[in-house]
Amino acid sequence: MGSLSTILRHPDELYPLLKLKIAINKAQKQIPLEPNLAFCYTMLHKVSKSFSLVIQQLGTELRNAVCVFYLILRALDTVEDDTSVAVEIKLPILIAFHRHIYDGDWHFSCGTKEYKVLMDQFHHVSAAFLELEKGYQEAIEDITKRMGEGMAKFICKEVETVDDYDEYCHYAAGLVGLGLSKIFMASELEMLTPDWKHNSNSTGLFLQKTNIIKDYLEDINEIPKSRMFWPREIWGKYVDKLEDFKNEENATKAVQCLNEMVTNALIHVEDCLKSLASLRDPAIFQSCAIPQIVAIGTLALCYNNVQVFRGVVRLRRGLIAKIIDRTKTMDDVYGVFCDFSCMLQSKVDKNDPNAVITLNRLETIKKVCRDNGVLHKRKTYVKDEAQSKDVFIIMLVLLLAIVVMYLKANHCK
């Protein structure tokens, strides 16, 4: 649930953490009895607890479709990510993956831990896919086909330019945004807006770029061979080889490059906010909003932070719990995006080569939030030290009261 020291520093996160723990336990108890769906939901919880929780809020039919869609793309991604699989074996699997999902006997052993289980027992996912309505199947097949072809293209191609970077992120995640929009439309719970394709793609690019940034060390240390998607057009300004950022003597250049990567990702925020604002169904809205908020929060944490090149950088579990608990409306989204933009803005060094561009993008984001959200009626919870101290004092007083009552009771005996 979180370390005691972290909870003591952020006592206002204790209640959301407890609520999150209860919600996760409840979700686990709601796993369907049907064997194929049972496997899918159990596996979903193992590969992504946070995503598993947010889709549990969806109606049964839509929830099943999104669960299966996620696992199919996770399996496809597992094939792409496994650097131990020879390229000549990997390419035809990626290209034909959209056909394999119709084959109840197909499986391919690759990946590690829970991902290997997913691949070895993929027949459960295929069987669940074949039980979905035709509209869901068509949307999933189309996206799987396009994503597999795109991944195959970049197996043999380096990410050299920023255009290459955007294209790869489109195949890896932009298509996920498009696919989810199609699934939502097939459910008849959402209507597509004129700019849905552009905005849905941007939501995927924003999430993917955030993951690529924060996963630098994990990806560069991948065994037997690293796979990196930072574009040479950006990192080549700072070092000769991308792995040079791991060296202590390159810390300043590493952080400057990191800041440019974060600044690039911020391009997509306005489209993400437009996409979220167009959603009508509360459960769909929450399931889409939470990952976007976690992404902007992660970027704020990564910005100007050399730890990205030294270890793991991620949001506190308690803060994520608070985000899940308090994200109900679009006003909440505008508020927290504004909060994290302010947090990121406070970290900008005016001597950074991209400081002006970064600050301009953050001001644009804050203006969108101010113009559309009711920010003056809410309190920030991203970085509210005074509130945390007040809650801590209240908890301390209550704890002392309990101790005093306990001592008095024992004394009376």
Side-chain angles (χ1 to χ4, degrees):
M1 187 172 71
S3 68
L4 179 59
S5 61
T6 301
I7 292 173
L8 289 175
R9 287 198 302 271
H10 306 277
D12 56 314
E13 295 173 1
L14 178 59
Y15 180 60
L17 274 169
L18 290 172
K19 288 181 69 175
L20 179 62
K21 179 67 174 175
I22 292 169
I24 291 173
N25 290 339
K26 183 180 177 181
Q28 288 177 307
K29 292 176 182 177
Q30 292 177 336
I31 292 175
L33 295 176
E34 195 278 321
N36 297 315
L37 281 175
F39 173 84
C40 289
Y41 281 100
T42 301
M43 192 53 55
L44 178 66
H45 180 73
K46 289 181 178 179
V47 299
S48 179
K49 289 182 181 179
S50 57
F51 188 71
S52 173
L53 181 63
V54 295
I55 76 159
Q56 288 290 342
Q57 313 306 315
L58 302 174
T60 303
E61 181 183 291
L62 181 57
R63 181 171 67 239
N64 291 345
V66 174
C67 175
V68 171
F69 179 51
Y70 183 90
L71 288 179
I72 287 173
L73 298 188
R74 176 56 65 189
L76 179 63
D77 191 54
T78 299
V79 176
E80 184 213 19
D81 282 347
D82 193 333
T83 54
S84 68
V85 179
V87 171
E88 59 269 22
I89 295 174
K90 184 180 294 189
L91 285 177
I93 293 174
L94 294 174
I95 293 170
F97 208 90
H98 67 288
R99 292 195 294 272
H100 295 320
I101 62 179
Y102 287 95
D103 183 354
D105 295 324
W106 185 86
H107 67 277
F108 179 71
S109 187
C110 65
T112 59
K113 299 178 181 178
E114 60 267 18
Y115 300 102
K116 187 177 187 306
V117 176
L118 172 63
M119 299 306 299
D120 287 342
Q121 301 186 46
F122 191 76
H123 63 278
H124 288 298
V125 182
S126 298
F129 168 77
L130 294 172
E131 292 295 321
L132 299 177
E133 293 291 333
K134 190 71 174 176
Y136 296 134
Q137 289 184 3
E138 290 174 351
I140 293 171
E141 180 188 1
D142 174 57
I143 296 302
T144 304
K145 180 177 185 295
R146 293 161 66 183
M147 184 179 289
E149 291 171 348
M151 287 179 168
K153 176 179 179 178
F154 277 90
I155 290 294
C156 306
K157 177 180 179 177
E158 295 292 327
V159 177
E160 295 286 345
T161 67
V162 172
D163 286 342
D164 290 339
Y165 183 43
D166 286 343
E167 185 182 6
Y168 171 76
C169 290
H170 164 72
Y171 290 132
L175 287 172
V176 179
L178 292 168
L180 285 172
S181 294
K182 287 186 174 185
I183 289 173
F184 297 154
M185 182 179 68
S187 74
E188 299 183 349
L189 292 171
E190 297 291 348
M191 298 287 291
L192 298 182
T193 59
D195 54 356
W196 74 273
K197 289 185 178 179
H198 174 79
N199 291 341
S200 296
N201 184 61
S202 283
T203 62
L205 263 64
F206 186 56
L207 297 180
Q208 184 67 14
K209 288 184 177 182
T210 300
N211 288 334
I212 286 172
I213 290 167
K214 76 177 180 65
D215 290 341
Y216 167 87
L217 193 63
E218 179 183 338
D219 291 341
I220 204 78
N221 290 335
E222 180 74 27
I223 296 173
K225 180 184 177 183
S226 64
R227 288 207 66 211
M228 291 299 297
F229 299 99
W230 289 39
R232 183 185 295 270
E233 185 178 339
I234 291 179
W235 64 258
K237 301 175 188 177
Y238 304 94
V239 288
D240 294 327
K241 296 182 294 183
L242 189 52
E243 56 264 34
D244 290 346
F245 287 142
K246 293 194 296 181
N247 302 332
E248 187 67 38
E249 61 268 24
N250 293 321
T252 300
K253 292 179 179 179
V255 168
Q256 289 176 346
C257 181
L258 168 65
N259 292 347
E260 186 169 351
M261 290 287 289
V262 172
T263 301
N264 172 274
L266 294 175
I267 294 172
H268 306 291
V269 171
E270 288 178 79
D271 293 335
C272 294
L273 293 173
K274 289 178 185 176
S275 180
L276 293 174
S278 71
L279 297 174
R280 304 181 304 174
D281 182 83
I284 290 176
F285 167 78
Q286 190 179 41
S287 69
C288 294
I290 290 169
Q292 298 292 322
I293 293 172
V294 172
I296 186 68
T298 301
L299 290 181
L301 200 60
C302 288
Y303 186 86
N304 216 34
N305 187 353
V306 73
Q307 189 62 27
V308 170
F309 306 96
R310 307 286 184 265
V312 179
V313 175
R314 59 188 174 204
L315 292 183
R316 296 188 311 276
R317 188 168 177 79
L319 183 52
I320 293 176
K322 200 189 292 188
I323 289 168
I324 292 172
D325 185 45
R326 300 187 184 184
T327 303
K328 308 297 182 187
T329 69
M330 197 60 207
D331 278 337
D332 298 327
V333 173
Y334 288 130
V336 75
F337 264 79
C338 189
D339 288 347
F340 278 125
S341 295
C342 290
M343 177 181 169
L344 202 159
Q345 189 175 38
S346 69
K347 298 171 68 176
V348 176
D349 181 350
K350 292 185 178 179
N351 294 318
D352 186 271
N354 291 281
V356 174
I357 300 173
T358 308
L359 291 170
N360 286 341
R361 288 191 182 154
L362 290 170
E363 282 300 330
T364 299
I365 294 167
K366 289 166 61 180
K367 184 177 186 305
V368 170
C369 295
R370 287 195 301 266
D371 290 349
N372 293 279
V374 190
L375 305 189
H376 64 281
K377 292 184 178 181
R378 65 183 293 279
K379 289 184 178 180
T380 176
Y381 62 84
V382 169
K383 195 177 181 181
D384 194 346
E385 299 297 337
Q387 184 184 32
S388 290
K389 288 178 181 177
D390 290 344
V391 175
F392 177 75
I393 291 170
I394 292 170
M395 289 179 65
L396 185 59
V397 170
L398 288 173
L399 180 61
L400 289 172
I402 292 170
V403 171
V404 169
M405 289 173 66
Y406 175 79
L407 292 174
K408 282 184 177 180
N410 284 343
H411 180 71
C412 291
K413 290 178 182 179

mmCIF file of all heavy atoms in Angstrom, residues 8-25:
data_model
loop_
_atom_site.group_PDB
_atom_site.id
_atom_site.type_symbol
_atom_site.label_atom_id
_atom_site.label_comp_id
_atom_site.label_asym_id
_atom_site.label_seq_id
_atom_site.Cartn_x
_atom_site.Cartn_y
_atom_site.Cartn_z
ATOM 1 N N LEU A 8 3.476 8.851 6.327
ATOM 2 C CA LEU A 8 3.626 9.882 7.358
ATOM 3 C C LEU A 8 3.936 11.239 6.741
ATOM 4 O O LEU A 8 3.515 12.274 7.263
ATOM 5 C CB LEU A 8 4.719 9.483 8.350
ATOM 6 C CG LEU A 8 4.374 8.314 9.291
ATOM 7 C CD1 LEU A 8 5.579 7.945 10.136
ATOM 8 C CD2 LEU A 8 3.184 8.671 10.173
ATOM 9 N N ARG A 9 4.677 11.237 5.631
ATOM 10 C CA ARG A 9 4.976 12.508 4.953
ATOM 11 C C ARG A 9 3.768 13.041 4.199
ATOM 12 O O ARG A 9 3.652 14.235 3.959
ATOM 13 C CB ARG A 9 6.150 12.330 3.985
ATOM 14 C CG ARG A 9 7.505 12.174 4.662
ATOM 15 C CD ARG A 9 8.646 12.431 3.687
ATOM 16 N NE ARG A 9 8.583 11.547 2.537
ATOM 17 C CZ ARG A 9 9.147 10.348 2.478
ATOM 18 N NH1 ARG A 9 9.786 9.868 3.543
ATOM 19 N NH2 ARG A 9 9.054 9.608 1.388
ATOM 20 N N HIS A 10 2.877 12.123 3.785
ATOM 21 C CA HIS A 10 1.685 12.518 3.024
ATOM 22 C C HIS A 10 0.448 11.846 3.634
ATOM 23 O O HIS A 10 -0.185 10.997 3.003
ATOM 24 C CB HIS A 10 1.843 12.115 1.550
ATOM 25 C CG HIS A 10 3.086 12.634 0.915
ATOM 26 N ND1 HIS A 10 3.180 13.914 0.403
ATOM 27 C CD2 HIS A 10 4.309 12.055 0.720
ATOM 28 C CE1 HIS A 10 4.398 14.095 -0.085
ATOM 29 N NE2 HIS A 10 5.100 12.988 0.096
ATOM 30 N N PRO A 11 0.087 12.227 4.851
ATOM 31 C CA PRO A 11 -0.996 11.537 5.545
ATOM 32 C C PRO A 11 -2.352 11.660 4.861
ATOM 33 O O PRO A 11 -3.222 10.810 5.058
ATOM 34 C CB PRO A 11 -1.012 12.209 6.923
ATOM 35 C CG PRO A 11 -0.353 13.540 6.720
ATOM 36 C CD PRO A 11 0.679 13.304 5.671
ATOM 37 N N ASP A 12 -2.543 12.714 4.050
ATOM 38 C CA ASP A 12 -3.818 12.893 3.353
ATOM 39 C C ASP A 12 -4.029 11.845 2.266
ATOM 40 O O ASP A 12 -5.126 11.749 1.699
ATOM 41 C CB ASP A 12 -3.900 14.296 2.745
ATOM 42 C CG ASP A 12 -2.735 14.606 1.824
ATOM 43 O OD1 ASP A 12 -1.582 14.324 2.213
ATOM 44 O OD2 ASP A 12 -2.971 15.126 0.717
ATOM 45 N N GLU A 13 -2.988 11.050 1.991
ATOM 46 C CA GLU A 13 -3.119 10.008 0.967
ATOM 47 C C GLU A 13 -3.526 8.659 1.558
ATOM 48 O O GLU A 13 -3.805 7.715 0.808
ATOM 49 C CB GLU A 13 -1.796 9.864 0.195
ATOM 50 C CG GLU A 13 -1.435 11.114 -0.604
ATOM 51 C CD GLU A 13 -0.050 11.055 -1.238
ATOM 52 O OE1 GLU A 13 0.627 10.009 -1.053
ATOM 53 O OE2 GLU A 13 0.359 12.015 -1.891
ATOM 54 N N LEU A 14 -3.574 8.578 2.892
ATOM 55 C CA LEU A 14 -3.892 7.304 3.527
ATOM 56 C C LEU A 14 -5.304 6.828 3.184
ATOM 57 O O LEU A 14 -5.502 5.663 2.813
ATOM 58 C CB LEU A 14 -3.735 7.426 5.048
ATOM 59 C CG LEU A 14 -4.080 6.167 5.860
ATOM 60 C CD1 LEU A 14 -3.208 4.991 5.425
ATOM 61 C CD2 LEU A 14 -3.918 6.432 7.357
ATOM 62 N N TYR A 15 -6.280 7.726 3.304
ATOM 63 C CA TYR A 15 -7.669 7.339 3.028
ATOM 64 C C TYR A 15 -7.856 6.907 1.567
ATOM 65 O O TYR A 15 -8.442 5.836 1.316
ATOM 66 C CB TYR A 15 -8.609 8.490 3.381
ATOM 67 C CG TYR A 15 -10.068 8.190 3.125
ATOM 68 C CD1 TYR A 15 -10.709 7.134 3.780
ATOM 69 C CD2 TYR A 15 -10.807 8.958 2.233
ATOM 70 C CE1 TYR A 15 -12.049 6.852 3.541
ATOM 71 C CE2 TYR A 15 -12.142 8.688 1.981
ATOM 72 C CZ TYR A 15 -12.761 7.635 2.642
ATOM 73 O OH TYR A 15 -14.076 7.365 2.393
ATOM 74 N N PRO A 16 -7.350 7.682 0.572
ATOM 75 C CA PRO A 16 -7.448 7.215 -0.820
ATOM 76 C C PRO A 16 -6.749 5.871 -1.053
ATOM 77 O O PRO A 16 -7.227 5.054 -1.836
ATOM 78 C CB PRO A 16 -6.784 8.333 -1.625
ATOM 79 C CG PRO A 16 -6.936 9.548 -0.787
ATOM 80 C CD PRO A 16 -6.827 9.070 0.622
ATOM 81 N N LEU A 17 -5.621 5.644 -0.354
ATOM 82 C CA LEU A 17 -4.928 4.360 -0.484
ATOM 83 C C LEU A 17 -5.786 3.210 0.027
ATOM 84 O O LEU A 17 -5.848 2.148 -0.595
ATOM 85 C CB LEU A 17 -3.597 4.404 0.281
ATOM 86 C CG LEU A 17 -2.385 4.959 -0.462
ATOM 87 C CD1 LEU A 17 -1.238 5.195 0.502
ATOM 88 C CD2 LEU A 17 -1.947 4.034 -1.583
ATOM 89 N N LEU A 18 -6.445 3.429 1.158
ATOM 90 C CA LEU A 18 -7.321 2.402 1.704
ATOM 91 C C LEU A 18 -8.488 2.128 0.757
ATOM 92 O O LEU A 18 -8.860 0.974 0.521
ATOM 93 C CB LEU A 18 -7.838 2.834 3.077
ATOM 94 C CG LEU A 18 -6.804 2.862 4.201
ATOM 95 C CD1 LEU A 18 -7.390 3.503 5.457
ATOM 96 C CD2 LEU A 18 -6.300 1.457 4.514
ATOM 97 N N LYS A 19 -9.049 3.182 0.186
ATOM 98 C CA LYS A 19 -10.150 3.026 -0.766
ATOM 99 C C LYS A 19 -9.686 2.267 -2.010
ATOM 100 O O LYS A 19 -10.411 1.422 -2.550
ATOM 101 C CB LYS A 19 -10.719 4.388 -1.168
ATOM 102 C CG LYS A 19 -11.513 5.080 -0.081
ATOM 103 C CD LYS A 19 -12.077 6.405 -0.549
ATOM 104 C CE LYS A 19 -13.179 6.222 -1.599
ATOM 105 N NZ LYS A 19 -13.805 7.512 -1.952
ATOM 106 N N LEU A 20 -8.467 2.573 -2.457
ATOM 107 C CA LEU A 20 -7.918 1.897 -3.630
ATOM 108 C C LEU A 20 -7.710 0.420 -3.343
ATOM 109 O O LEU A 20 -8.034 -0.440 -4.176
ATOM 110 C CB LEU A 20 -6.597 2.551 -4.042
ATOM 111 C CG LEU A 20 -5.880 1.934 -5.246
ATOM 112 C CD1 LEU A 20 -6.742 2.040 -6.500
ATOM 113 C CD2 LEU A 20 -4.536 2.613 -5.486
ATOM 114 N N LYS A 21 -7.190 0.114 -2.164
ATOM 115 C CA LYS A 21 -6.964 -1.282 -1.777
ATOM 116 C C LYS A 21 -8.279 -2.050 -1.748
ATOM 117 O O LYS A 21 -8.367 -3.180 -2.252
ATOM 118 C CB LYS A 21 -6.301 -1.313 -0.396
ATOM 119 C CG LYS A 21 -6.028 -2.715 0.149
ATOM 120 C CD LYS A 21 -4.978 -3.438 -0.663
ATOM 121 C CE LYS A 21 -4.618 -4.761 -0.034
ATOM 122 N NZ LYS A 21 -3.682 -5.539 -0.875
ATOM 123 N N ILE A 22 -9.321 -1.443 -1.188
ATOM 124 C CA ILE A 22 -10.640 -2.082 -1.140
ATOM 125 C C ILE A 22 -11.186 -2.293 -2.548
ATOM 126 O O ILE A 22 -11.744 -3.347 -2.866
ATOM 127 C CB ILE A 22 -11.611 -1.222 -0.304
ATOM 128 C CG1 ILE A 22 -11.179 -1.234 1.170
ATOM 129 C CG2 ILE A 22 -13.047 -1.721 -0.438
ATOM 130 C CD1 ILE A 22 -11.901 -0.216 2.036
ATOM 131 N N ALA A 23 -11.000 -1.285 -3.416
ATOM 132 C CA ALA A 23 -11.491 -1.382 -4.794
ATOM 133 C C ALA A 23 -10.782 -2.490 -5.566
ATOM 134 O O ALA A 23 -11.407 -3.214 -6.355
ATOM 135 C CB ALA A 23 -11.308 -0.043 -5.505
ATOM 136 N N ILE A 24 -9.468 -2.626 -5.347
ATOM 137 C CA ILE A 24 -8.704 -3.680 -6.015
ATOM 138 C C ILE A 24 -9.177 -5.053 -5.557
ATOM 139 O O ILE A 24 -9.373 -5.969 -6.371
ATOM 140 C CB ILE A 24 -7.189 -3.501 -5.758
ATOM 141 C CG1 ILE A 24 -6.665 -2.264 -6.490
ATOM 142 C CG2 ILE A 24 -6.416 -4.750 -6.199
ATOM 143 C CD1 ILE A 24 -5.233 -1.911 -6.156
ATOM 144 N N ASN A 25 -9.382 -5.207 -4.250
ATOM 145 C CA ASN A 25 -9.880 -6.486 -3.720
ATOM 146 C C ASN A 25 -11.264 -6.805 -4.260
ATOM 147 O O ASN A 25 -11.569 -7.957 -4.594
ATOM 148 C CB ASN A 25 -9.916 -6.438 -2.192
ATOM 149 C CG ASN A 25 -8.526 -6.428 -1.567
ATOM 150 O OD1 ASN A 25 -7.559 -6.828 -2.205
ATOM 151 N ND2 ASN A 25 -8.425 -5.965 -0.337
#
